[in-house]
Amino acid sequence: MSGPLLLALDQGTQSARAMLFDEAGELVAKSQRHIEPYVAPQPGWAEQDADYFWEELGQACQSLWLDHPELKSRVIGMSLTTQRASVVCLDTRMKPLRPAIIWLDQRRTATPPALPFWLAAPVKLLGQGETLRQFKAKAECNWLADDEPELWSRTAHFLLLSGYLNYRLTGELRDCTASQVGYIPYDYKRHQWAAGHDLKWKALRVNRKQLPELVAPGETLGKVSAAASRHTGIPEGLPVIASGADKACEVLGAGAFSPEVGNLSYGTTATFNTCNARYVEPIPFVPAYGAAIPNRYNSEIIVQRGYWMVNWFKREFAREEMDRAEQLGVPAESLFEAFLEQTPPGAMGLTLQPFWNPGVRIPGPEAKGAIVGFGDVHTRAHLYRAIIEGIAYALREGKERLEKRNGVPITHLKVSGGGSQSDAIMQITADIFGLPAERPHTTETSGLGAAINIAVTMGVHADHEMAVSAMTRPGARFMPRQEYNTTYDRLYRQVYQRLYPRLAPLYRSIREITGYPAR
């Protein structure tokens, strides 16, 4: 084989991966480094050394070349995709001033910037006063300015992790428009930094000079620098192509190119996305994010701690399986399949609402998780099934919301992320949604989305539509089973959908009494 290869780097929450794809979207080679997602010096904090990510990416790349030295000469371009909404503060020498703040961090400020009356009044009239308050309170730039004022005064550059790693690769302060997700002054509809008159500049303590230049997916960010080449082994001068954040690339790599196709991502954060040529807010006043394709948008529903809950279950309830998995040399999650085989659909009435992390609108800032329906028949196996089913219920709710917002029925599902590798979870998904559920042909959909952008830019395929057609295709397909879909439909409509409205007043009382989650 002598065809061109496309190098995709994926710096996710759980690992750093270096992957080579061919022009047909086949994964030719891969190197993966599992990482420590974050450290928590105090409850609710989530930080990690910014250079730790750079070191792990470098190690992943060097391992790739060590295992496949013959492939390096065939690489024609590279692209980076990363976790979203993690931020890095740099000084004038381009050095990190503090650890990166990871997207799971829950800190906030009690004294955000006050908006002038003429900006605040219309927001309140639209019923969005609480949404704006949450935006200002949670913004990292705001609480940094309050809690670490000396450090913030020395912050010359305020970047997302994607921007920092692209800088380490190219020496250029540039980032992709489709990576811009977070508490930043960004205009999601126009794919650019907000206009000078936008209230976001008044609501946030960041200025335009601290932010990077932005380029669209498929444009060139720069070329691999000599220093980056020494660190990673990637050939110096190789073009670095913009692609977008991991979720954006995952939607593209799954082949979800139009709004009748829903993409479920069973990752650390679980999401339901539809890709649109027009700007459709998934919830009023909640933006659609930039897709990993120029001039397109992803309308997204989020379960913030989605398959993070599997790790929570593993840590708190599955020590026996973890020990056995270590002895067998397999992931502990592979042993959890037995839990799903041992329990019936509906978990004998055990129903879970997966809001282990508060939201802003739906769910609201008072939200907490809940498990209802316990009886003496229930075991760890039922709890695990309830977790899997609860996440799927939440995403089905998101699917129905997006159908109404888009005005387009969703006819089939593309399912990606770590949870999609379980046949049992795929079948549960088909049964709960009542729709065929397909895996993409590769597990590395985020990397494939990045590779698609390389392929278009480097002329391997003429445009994104042709590249998606050539490089994505379905893998295994799971059909809904009518008898189980009927059970799930009744549980979803008569139990799950009624939980949050009835429990929300109790959640507000809990927050008022305990102070958690913080306002």
Side-chain angles (χ1 to χ4, degrees):
M1 296 293 293
S2 58
L5 295 177
L6 317 166
L7 173 63
L9 304 185
D10 184 351
Q11 180 57 72
T13 302
Q14 305 288 342
S15 70
R17 300 191 289 282
M19 296 162 280
L20 292 172
F21 291 89
D22 66 16
E23 58 195 302
E26 292 295 338
L27 182 63
V28 176
K30 166 184 163 181
S31 174
Q32 182 171 6
R33 300 268 301 181
H34 293 284
I35 65 170
E36 186 69 32
Y38 62 88
V39 294
Q42 294 189 37
W45 294 21
E47 300 183 340
Q48 185 55 272
D49 186 346
D51 285 332
Y52 171 73
F53 294 113
W54 178 238
E55 290 301 320
E56 292 299 319
L57 270 183
Q59 290 293 324
C61 290
Q62 294 288 4
S63 295
L64 182 70
W65 310 131
L66 185 64
D67 293 340
H68 304 280
E70 75 285 0
L71 300 180
K72 186 188 289 193
S73 62
R74 294 167 52 191
V75 177
I76 61 170
M78 67 151 295
S79 187
L80 168 77
T81 183
T82 73
Q83 59 179 273
R84 305 184 301 191
S86 296
V87 299
V88 181
C89 297
L90 302 182
D91 64 15
T92 54
R93 300 172 301 126
M94 308 304 294
K95 301 296 184 184
L97 286 164
R98 68 178 319 286
I101 303 163
I102 305 306
W103 59 271
L104 287 163
D105 197 287
Q106 296 180 40
R107 278 172 283 185
R108 58 195 69 196
T109 179
T111 56
L115 293 185
F117 172 78
W118 54 273
L119 280 177
V123 175
K124 291 182 179 178
L125 285 172
L126 289 168
Q128 299 304 310
E130 177 62 16
T131 301
L132 178 60
R133 191 189 72 79
Q134 290 285 330
F135 177 81
K136 294 192 297 179
K138 292 181 178 180
E140 294 88 356
C141 62
N142 286 346
W143 63 253
L144 281 169
D146 278 352
D147 296 350
E148 303 175 24
E150 192 276 333
L151 180 145
W152 183 247
S153 70
R154 293 190 290 120
T155 299
H157 305 285
F158 187 64
L159 307 177
L160 295 174
L161 181 61
S162 53
Y164 178 63
L165 294 177
N166 279 320
Y167 165 74
R168 296 302 302 262
L169 283 166
T170 67
E172 304 279 349
L173 273 175
R174 309 178 88 193
D175 201 6
C176 181
T177 55
S179 293
Q180 305 312 300
V181 176
Y183 299 106
I184 50 178
Y186 186 69
D187 185 334
Y188 290 95
K189 189 172 184 177
R190 294 175 178 80
H191 305 290
Q192 62 187 27
W193 293 121
H197 61 270
D198 194 300
L199 69 79
K200 295 187 188 77
W201 294 108
K202 298 288 188 182
L204 300 172
R205 293 186 174 111
V206 66
N207 63 65
R208 178 63 188 86
K209 291 181 180 179
Q210 292 173 293
L211 302 171
E213 177 187 352
L214 300 178
V215 303
E219 293 186 10
T220 301
L221 286 161
K223 295 184 177 181
V224 174
S225 68
S229 179
R230 288 192 297 271
H231 179 70
T232 63
I234 301 170
E236 183 180 352
L238 193 74
V240 180
I241 311 304
S243 286
D246 52 4
K247 292 295 182 184
C249 287
E250 189 174 347
V251 175
L252 178 59
F257 199 68
S258 54
E260 74 276 3
V261 181
N263 173 228
L264 286 85
S265 171
Y266 284 145
T268 305
T269 294
T271 58
F272 194 103
N273 273 274
T274 56
C275 185
N276 299 277
R278 62 192 182 93
Y279 182 79
V280 179
E281 293 178 339
I283 301 168
F285 303 101
V286 173
Y289 300 135
I293 314 166
N295 302 314
R296 292 178 85 93
Y297 306 91
N298 289 335
S299 301
E300 178 179 279
I301 301 295
I302 297 175
V303 179
Q304 190 78 4
R305 300 223 178 196
Y307 271 64
W308 172 92
M309 294 190 64
V310 173
N311 286 328
W312 172 76
F313 174 85
K314 179 171 64 175
R315 183 180 69 244
E316 302 296 339
F317 303 103
R319 171 51 59 188
E320 177 186 337
E321 285 72 24
M322 289 175 65
D323 292 343
R324 184 146 49 94
E326 187 173 356
Q327 294 171 4
L328 296 173
V330 299
E333 291 81 356
S334 66
L335 302 182
F336 296 170
E337 295 289 282
F339 292 149
L340 301 177
E341 295 167 1
Q342 295 164 13
T343 52
M348 299 184 73
L350 199 63
T351 304
L352 181 140
Q353 179 188 267
F355 300 153
W356 260 236
N357 212 63
V360 175
R361 292 288 310 285
I362 303 174
E366 80 289 338
K368 299 179 77 67
I371 309 171
V372 302
F374 272 112
D376 59 5
V377 298
H378 290 119
T379 66
R380 291 182 307 143
H382 295 91
L383 175 58
Y384 182 69
R385 176 177 276 277
I387 289 171
I388 301 305
E389 292 174 345
I391 295 168
Y393 287 146
L395 294 179
R396 175 175 164 176
E397 200 167 44
K399 172 248 185 192
E400 293 174 356
R401 192 174 300 126
L402 288 178
E403 286 178 318
K404 291 178 183 177
R405 300 289 295 172
N406 292 331
V408 177
I410 292 167
T411 56
H412 59 285
L413 307 174
K414 305 277 190 179
V415 189
S416 52
S420 70
Q421 300 318 299
S422 161
D423 285 356
I425 290 175
M426 288 294 295
Q427 187 60 62
I428 288 170
T429 302
D431 292 340
I432 286 179
F433 281 80
L435 289 172
E438 293 177 353
R439 279 195 199 111
H441 75 279
T442 177
T443 61
E444 295 293 352
T445 45
S446 292
L448 178 56
I452 287 171
N453 274 292
I454 305 169
V456 173
T457 304
M458 303 307 296
V460 175
H461 297 295
D463 56 33
H464 282 84
E465 189 168 0
M466 291 185 68
V468 167
S469 177
M471 297 176 71
T472 71
R473 51 199 162 274
R477 193 176 202 223
F478 297 80
M479 300 300 295
R481 298 170 295 184
Q482 183 58 50
E483 65 275 24
Y484 297 142
N485 175 247
T486 300
T487 298
Y488 279 130
D489 194 64
R490 292 185 65 192
L491 285 169
Y492 170 71
R493 297 196 181 281
Q494 297 176 34
V495 180
Y496 180 83
Q497 285 194 303
R498 296 180 181 182
L499 281 177
Y500 185 66
R502 297 189 180 195
L503 291 176
L506 302 183
Y507 296 153
R508 285 190 281 272
S509 294
I510 290 171
R511 183 170 65 164
E512 182 69 27
I513 295 165
T514 67
Y516 180 81
R519 292 184 63 84

